[in-house]
Amino acid sequence: MTLDPYYETMYILRPDIPEEEVESHLTKYRDMLVEAGADVLDNQMRGKRRLAYPIAKHKEGGIYVQLSHNGDGQHVAVLEKAMRLSEDVIRYLTVKQEGPLPAPRVMPGSEAAQQQQAEAAASAD
């Protein structure tokens, strides 16, 4: 059984941007891929993490975002050009993946985490 390959873009946003601006970046890049003819499979904010080394004079950390998408490959250049020109994106990397999509990671305290806990409690009864 072979699964279609897909692309996974991981990018790091500056740590000092406000939460609503982070959301605008998520929707901006998702919409950009859709306009370029790609299918967005998953879009997850991985949260703020410490950087292993300073990037663009940012030492303390960055906001990591994972974006999984599918298309003919031409859309990757459009996405990466927009990220390269953005002052809020301090690093990005796109990798072609094979196999199933990874399971969505649930951030503690999020609505999905609360829903997961409620489902677990209901099934335990």
Side-chain angles (χ1 to χ4, degrees):
M1 179 177 129
T2 61
L3 296 169
D4 290 334
Y6 64 96
Y7 296 91
E8 189 172 270
T9 302
M10 191 73 134
Y11 58 97
I12 307 172
L13 297 170
R14 284 189 353 234
D16 55 348
I17 60 176
E19 179 93 17
E20 56 273 356
E21 203 170 317
V22 172
E23 291 296 325
S24 73
H25 280 289
L26 270 84
T27 56
K28 173 178 134 181
Y29 294 127
R30 183 183 64 231
D31 294 345
M32 190 177 297
L33 285 172
V34 171
E35 286 176 19
D39 297 323
V40 176
L41 306 173
D42 194 15
N43 193 5
Q44 299 179 29
M45 189 170 78
R46 295 292 187 164
K48 194 177 223 182
R49 295 187 179 182
R50 202 171 129 256
L51 298 173
Y53 54 90
I55 300 173
K57 299 183 182 178
H58 296 284
K59 297 176 185 174
E60 67 278 352
I63 301 167
Y64 284 68
V65 182
Q66 178 182 345
L67 180 61
S68 300
H69 44 98
N70 202 353
D72 60 2
Q74 301 297 318
H75 65 283
V76 175
V78 173
L79 178 67
E80 288 189 346
K81 181 178 181 181
M83 289 182 176
R84 184 172 45 252
L85 296 174
S86 173
E87 292 179 3
D88 291 335
V89 177
I90 59 176
R91 184 72 90 231
Y92 61 89
L93 177 68
T94 302
V95 179
K96 189 172 185 177
Q97 298 284 350
E98 305 255 343
L101 275 172
R105 181 175 157 225
V106 178
M107 296 294 291
S110 68
E111 288 180 28
Q114 293 169 356
Q115 182 180 4
Q116 211 174 43
Q117 290 172 348
E119 289 173 2
S123 65
D125 292 336

